[in-house]
Amino acid sequence: QVQLVESGGGVVQPGGSLRLSCAASGFSFSEYGMHWVRQTPGKGLEWVAFIRYDGNIKFYADSVKGRFAISRDDSSSTLYLQMNSLRADDTAVYYCTKVRGDFLFDSWGQGTLVTVS
Amino acid sequence: DIQMTQSPSSLSASVGDRVTITCRASQNIDNYLNWYQQKPGKAPKFLISAASRLQSGVTSRFSGSRSGTDFTLTINSLQPEDFATYYCQQSYTVPLTFGGGTKVDIK
């Protein structure tokens, strides 16, 4: 049973930083790419970032490029999202997702809320 | 970026109804179209991949189809557990993009 558990959300001031974590279990983490997807009431679902199974390829949405960094630690089956220079419009629930293929989100965590205010 | 336009944004239906939701891509995405269901306070759940491939464990009341850049999610004989918000998503290229969602509620 795939399980993804996000943590690290909270309230942060504009310009601040936060690191989200996603603990994965129930599958061979090192064999799968992972994504972060966020959701706001006003803008719906927005893809944020992708990291390939080997960590060698990363993609980012333009809205976060240069400010956010996705990474992974296969030894602990943990996905990370380092968020710097946070803005009010980064306020959202952040989900980590496991991929099928590269770009399909077949399992989701419960989400962690980030509030920039 | 590929824009995904979903319609309607909301609809009201009764148990037993047949419901159709449409998603239009701004350019060709072949069959790289996926559907998700989201209930209040929960994460989205993957339903359909490649326009029409039902995820294992998903009821056959759900079906998907494609006509060019238009995609359709159909729910046959709507059941109480189907009242939710549905999203389409293109997996053709980055940036990956979602439709705006269709909320299906009880008439």
Side-chain angles (χ1 to χ4, degrees), chain B residues 52-70:
Chain B
S52 61
R53 190 175 303 160
L54 212 62
Q55 161 77 331
S56 174
V58 174
T59 173
S60 57
R61 291 196 306 277
F62 291 94
S63 63
S65 64
R66 171 198 174 193
S67 177
T69 58
D70 290 342

Side-chain angles (χ1 to χ4, degrees), chain A residues 38-61:
Chain A
R38 67 186 180 183
Q39 185 169 32
T40 63
K43 294 180 70 176
L45 290 164
E46 180 185 17
W47 168 76
V48 173
F50 164 76
I51 184 167
R52 203 172 69 170
Y53 68 95
D54 58 3
N56 288 336
I57 289 181
K58 301 175 185 179
F59 295 123
Y60 297 93

Side-chain angles (χ1 to χ4, degrees), chain A residues 35 37 39 44-47 59-62 95 100 102-111, chain B residues 1 34 36 38 42-46 49-50 55 87 89-98:
Chain A
H35 294 265
V37 175
Q39 185 169 32
L45 290 164
E46 180 185 17
W47 168 76
F59 295 123
Y60 297 93
D62 285 347
Y95 296 100
R100 179 174 303 181
D102 279 329
F103 296 149
L104 186 157
F105 315 111
D106 78 345
S107 298
W108 299 63
Q110 86 288 351
Chain B
D1 298 3
N34 312 301
Y36 303 86
Q38 186 177 34
K42 301 292 188 181
K45 172 188 173 184
F46 165 49
S49 64
Q55 161 77 331
Y87 294 93
Q89 174 246 333
Q90 64 83 13
S91 51
Y92 184 73
T93 188
V94 292
L96 308 176
T97 47
F98 291 87

Side-chain angles (χ1 to χ4, degrees), chain A residues 17 48-49 59-70 82-87 90:
Chain A
S17 297
V48 173
F59 295 123
Y60 297 93
D62 285 347
S63 57
V64 307
K65 201 172 294 182
R67 301 187 300 121
F68 290 12
I70 190 171
Q82 178 66 44
M83 304 186 296
N84 299 326
S85 303
L86 282 161
R87 311 186 303 221
D90 293 318

